[in-house]
mmCIF file of all heavy atoms in Angstrom:
data_model
loop_
_atom_site.group_PDB
_atom_site.id
_atom_site.type_symbol
_atom_site.label_atom_id
_atom_site.label_comp_id
_atom_site.label_asym_id
_atom_site.label_seq_id
_atom_site.Cartn_x
_atom_site.Cartn_y
_atom_site.Cartn_z
ATOM 1 N N CYS Z 139 -8.493 6.166 9.863
ATOM 2 C CA CYS Z 139 -9.522 5.395 10.559
ATOM 3 C C CYS Z 139 -8.911 4.672 11.772
ATOM 4 O O CYS Z 139 -9.483 4.689 12.862
ATOM 5 C CB CYS Z 139 -10.148 4.398 9.579
ATOM 6 S SG CYS Z 139 -11.602 3.577 10.186
ATOM 7 N N ALA Z 140 -7.742 4.053 11.572
ATOM 8 C CA ALA Z 140 -7.074 3.340 12.663
ATOM 9 C C ALA Z 140 -6.695 4.304 13.783
ATOM 10 O O ALA Z 140 -6.838 3.977 14.970
ATOM 11 C CB ALA Z 140 -5.840 2.617 12.130
ATOM 12 N N GLN Z 141 -6.236 5.482 13.415
ATOM 13 C CA GLN Z 141 -5.863 6.488 14.418
ATOM 14 C C GLN Z 141 -7.093 6.945 15.201
ATOM 15 O O GLN Z 141 -7.066 7.033 16.428
ATOM 16 C CB GLN Z 141 -5.185 7.675 13.741
ATOM 17 C CG GLN Z 141 -4.702 8.723 14.711
ATOM 18 C CD GLN Z 141 -3.991 9.874 14.009
ATOM 19 O OE1 GLN Z 141 -3.968 9.981 12.795
ATOM 20 N NE2 GLN Z 141 -3.412 10.752 14.803
ATOM 21 N N GLU Z 142 -8.184 7.214 14.496
ATOM 22 C CA GLU Z 142 -9.417 7.662 15.155
ATOM 23 C C GLU Z 142 -9.982 6.608 16.097
ATOM 24 O O GLU Z 142 -10.558 6.934 17.129
ATOM 25 C CB GLU Z 142 -10.458 8.057 14.108
ATOM 26 C CG GLU Z 142 -10.115 9.342 13.370
ATOM 27 C CD GLU Z 142 -11.041 9.622 12.201
ATOM 28 O OE1 GLU Z 142 -12.010 8.858 11.974
ATOM 29 O OE2 GLU Z 142 -10.782 10.623 11.495
ATOM 30 N N LYS Z 143 -9.823 5.333 15.724
ATOM 31 C CA LYS Z 143 -10.364 4.250 16.545
ATOM 32 C C LYS Z 143 -9.401 3.817 17.648
ATOM 33 O O LYS Z 143 -9.749 2.993 18.474
ATOM 34 C CB LYS Z 143 -10.713 3.058 15.662
ATOM 35 C CG LYS Z 143 -11.909 3.333 14.764
ATOM 36 C CD LYS Z 143 -12.193 2.128 13.893
ATOM 37 C CE LYS Z 143 -13.477 2.308 13.148
ATOM 38 N NZ LYS Z 143 -14.653 2.140 14.001
ATOM 39 N N GLY Z 144 -8.188 4.346 17.632
ATOM 40 C CA GLY Z 144 -7.222 3.998 18.668
ATOM 41 C C GLY Z 144 -6.613 2.620 18.513
ATOM 42 O O GLY Z 144 -6.325 1.944 19.507
ATOM 43 N N ALA Z 145 -6.410 2.180 17.265
ATOM 44 C CA ALA Z 145 -5.766 0.888 17.026
ATOM 45 C C ALA Z 145 -4.370 0.916 17.632
ATOM 46 O O ALA Z 145 -3.721 1.967 17.696
ATOM 47 C CB ALA Z 145 -5.689 0.599 15.524
ATOM 48 N N SER Z 146 -3.890 -0.242 18.082
ATOM 49 C CA SER Z 146 -2.562 -0.291 18.706
ATOM 50 C C SER Z 146 -1.444 -0.209 17.680
ATOM 51 O O SER Z 146 -0.300 0.037 18.040
ATOM 52 C CB SER Z 146 -2.413 -1.567 19.535
ATOM 53 O OG SER Z 146 -2.509 -2.715 18.705
ATOM 54 N N GLY Z 147 -1.761 -0.419 16.427
ATOM 55 C CA GLY Z 147 -0.755 -0.308 15.375
ATOM 56 C C GLY Z 147 -1.406 -0.461 14.024
ATOM 57 O O GLY Z 147 -2.435 -1.124 13.883
ATOM 58 N N TYR Z 148 -0.818 0.194 13.037
ATOM 59 C CA TYR Z 148 -1.269 0.081 11.649
ATOM 60 C C TYR Z 148 -0.089 -0.469 10.866
ATOM 61 O O TYR Z 148 0.990 0.134 10.859
ATOM 62 C CB TYR Z 148 -1.677 1.444 11.096
ATOM 63 C CG TYR Z 148 -2.178 1.391 9.661
ATOM 64 C CD1 TYR Z 148 -3.533 1.320 9.394
ATOM 65 C CD2 TYR Z 148 -1.288 1.399 8.584
ATOM 66 C CE1 TYR Z 148 -4.004 1.269 8.086
ATOM 67 C CE2 TYR Z 148 -1.755 1.345 7.275
ATOM 68 C CZ TYR Z 148 -3.108 1.278 7.032
ATOM 69 O OH TYR Z 148 -3.575 1.219 5.749
ATOM 70 N N TYR Z 149 -0.281 -1.628 10.250
ATOM 71 C CA TYR Z 149 0.799 -2.290 9.539
ATOM 72 C C TYR Z 149 0.389 -2.597 8.104
ATOM 73 O O TYR Z 149 -0.767 -2.936 7.850
ATOM 74 C CB TYR Z 149 1.160 -3.616 10.219
ATOM 75 C CG TYR Z 149 1.536 -3.469 11.663
ATOM 76 C CD1 TYR Z 149 0.580 -3.643 12.659
ATOM 77 C CD2 TYR Z 149 2.832 -3.141 12.036
ATOM 78 C CE1 TYR Z 149 0.918 -3.507 13.999
ATOM 79 C CE2 TYR Z 149 3.174 -3.003 13.373
ATOM 80 C CZ TYR Z 149 2.214 -3.190 14.347
ATOM 81 O OH TYR Z 149 2.539 -3.049 15.667
ATOM 82 N N THR Z 150 1.351 -2.498 7.226
ATOM 83 C CA THR Z 150 1.170 -3.011 5.873
ATOM 84 C C THR Z 150 2.005 -4.274 5.764
ATOM 85 O O THR Z 150 2.906 -4.516 6.583
ATOM 86 C CB THR Z 150 1.629 -1.996 4.804
ATOM 87 O OG1 THR Z 150 3.047 -1.844 4.892
ATOM 88 C CG2 THR Z 150 0.919 -0.656 4.969
ATOM 89 N N VAL Z 151 1.717 -5.066 4.751
ATOM 90 C CA VAL Z 151 2.481 -6.287 4.533
ATOM 91 C C VAL Z 151 3.954 -5.942 4.321
ATOM 92 O O VAL Z 151 4.845 -6.627 4.841
ATOM 93 C CB VAL Z 151 1.914 -7.071 3.326
ATOM 94 C CG1 VAL Z 151 2.773 -8.277 2.997
ATOM 95 C CG2 VAL Z 151 0.485 -7.499 3.615
ATOM 96 N N GLU Z 152 4.206 -4.856 3.614
ATOM 97 C CA GLU Z 152 5.586 -4.440 3.352
ATOM 98 C C GLU Z 152 6.290 -4.039 4.641
ATOM 99 O O GLU Z 152 7.498 -4.251 4.782
ATOM 100 C CB GLU Z 152 5.617 -3.299 2.331
ATOM 101 C CG GLU Z 152 5.230 -3.722 0.927
ATOM 102 C CD GLU Z 152 3.724 -3.942 0.722
ATOM 103 O OE1 GLU Z 152 2.910 -3.439 1.543
ATOM 104 O OE2 GLU Z 152 3.356 -4.639 -0.238
ATOM 105 N N ASP Z 153 5.564 -3.459 5.609
ATOM 106 C CA ASP Z 153 6.154 -3.123 6.908
ATOM 107 C C ASP Z 153 6.705 -4.371 7.591
ATOM 108 O O ASP Z 153 7.741 -4.330 8.245
ATOM 109 C CB ASP Z 153 5.118 -2.508 7.865
ATOM 110 C CG ASP Z 153 4.627 -1.137 7.452
ATOM 111 O OD1 ASP Z 153 5.328 -0.441 6.697
ATOM 112 O OD2 ASP Z 153 3.518 -0.776 7.892
ATOM 113 N N ILE Z 154 6.005 -5.472 7.448
ATOM 114 C CA ILE Z 154 6.340 -6.704 8.157
ATOM 115 C C ILE Z 154 7.291 -7.582 7.355
ATOM 116 O O ILE Z 154 8.258 -8.118 7.889
ATOM 117 C CB ILE Z 154 5.055 -7.509 8.491
ATOM 118 C CG1 ILE Z 154 4.063 -6.640 9.274
ATOM 119 C CG2 ILE Z 154 5.375 -8.800 9.243
ATOM 120 C CD1 ILE Z 154 4.579 -6.072 10.564
ATOM 121 N N LEU Z 155 7.022 -7.740 6.056
ATOM 122 C CA LEU Z 155 7.795 -8.676 5.231
ATOM 123 C C LEU Z 155 8.755 -8.009 4.261
ATOM 124 O O LEU Z 155 9.548 -8.691 3.627
ATOM 125 C CB LEU Z 155 6.837 -9.573 4.430
ATOM 126 C CG LEU Z 155 5.846 -10.415 5.216
ATOM 127 C CD1 LEU Z 155 4.946 -11.192 4.275
ATOM 128 C CD2 LEU Z 155 6.571 -11.352 6.178
#
Side-chain angles (χ1 to χ4, degrees):
C139 190
Q141 183 178 8
E142 289 172 3
K143 290 179 172 285
S146 63
Y148 181 96
Y149 303 94
T150 67
V151 175
E152 290 76 19
D153 292 338
I154 305 302
L155 301 178

